[in-house]
Amino acid sequence: MISLLPAHADLAELDDEALAAVYAYPDDLAAPWVRVGFVASADGAAAAAGRSEGLSNAADHRVFVLLRRLADVVLVGAGTVRAQDYRGARRPTIGGSTPPPIAVITGSAELDPGSRLFTDTKVAPIILTLPTAPAERLARLTAAGADVVVLERLTPDALLAELAARGLHRVLCEGGPAVHGQFIAADAVDELCLSVAPLLTGGTAPRISAGPDGALPRSMRLVSALHEDGTLLLRYQRDTPIG
Ligand SMILES: NC(=O)c1ccc[n+]([C@@H]2O[C@H](COP(=O)([O-])OP(=O)(O)OC[C@H]3O[C@@H](n4cnc5c(N)ncnc54)[C@H](OP(=O)(O)O)[C@@H]3O)[C@@H](O)[C@H]2O)c1
């Protein structure tokens, strides 16, 4: 048994620059790299009262903000956007002048054009949807300032091809569990950044991924483990080559 990785792993000891180095994406990405970010309770809940805020704390929030600042795009399912009343990211990316856009996966396009996603953002949200979404909804979202993209499929490969075409390679997927489950099933998760908060929730909360049974477990390698006030900040990377 060994101590936490890396050797000096107390989050409070790391300044912002050192923390950014811990979470750096690989250099010179030629294709999207999917980093998934979640917070969970110690008994595995991904939400408290339907939202993740009840699980978060200062340490998780510090890493949450940093992960956004390191990303080219924040990819998230419409379920999470609706449950958490998402707004645009606030802080500019490191080395950039604007925050990353929020890219929302939605088959229904059932998003409120008056919600914070559209009214409280510095960059246009990207709405990734299907030809079956009602045209009037798409028109309302476009009028609200969104960049609406209609794709034939919302599979991980189709979504990532669209992001790649835009040069958005550093992908931060903020879930939710349904989206995460699809990316795991498609073997499209390169990295998982997981905050484990020192809480027990009980109840019927979701896990951090959901989907059909049957996929073989994906092997991941623990590449860093930080700690602050009882919260573990774990970073796993895929252990096997893609494909
Ligand atoms: N602990 C954490 O860090 C964390 C992070 C994120 C979320 N959460 C929690 O997770 C819950 C929400 O998660 P969720 O699993 O219900 O929702 P989700 O994964 O955020 O979004 C699911 C929605 O995304 C769209 N979608 C996803 N894949 C699609 C596909 N292949 N084709 C068409 N549409 C697709 C659909 O939207 P439409 O219905 O619009 O078609 C679907 O209903 C909330 O309680 C939230 O607080 C927790």
Side-chain angles (χ1 to χ4, degrees), residues 60-154:
D60 172 63
H61 185 69
R62 185 175 172 206
V63 170
F64 174 85
V65 170
L66 173 69
L67 295 187
R68 286 186 161 195
R69 297 195 68 206
L70 290 168
D72 294 328
V73 62
V74 176
L75 181 65
V76 64
T80 297
V81 169
R82 290 187 288 257
Q84 303 193 176
D85 190 16
Y86 254 48
R87 61 182 178 188
R90 318 299 288 171
R91 303 274 303 275
T93 57
I94 290 172
S97 56
T98 56
I102 308 282
V104 183
I105 307 164
T106 173
S108 70
E110 198 171 341
L111 296 165
D112 177 359
S115 66
R116 300 195 305 171
L117 182 70
F118 305 95
T119 62
D120 189 2
T121 184
K122 294 175 178 157
V123 291
I126 301 170
I127 307 300
L128 301 159
T129 190
L130 292 172
T132 48
E136 62 277 13
R137 279 191 195 153
L138 300 187
R140 281 200 295 273
L141 300 183
T142 302
D147 181 353
V148 175
V149 183
V150 178
L151 299 174
E152 287 305 314
R153 291 179 309 279
L154 295 178

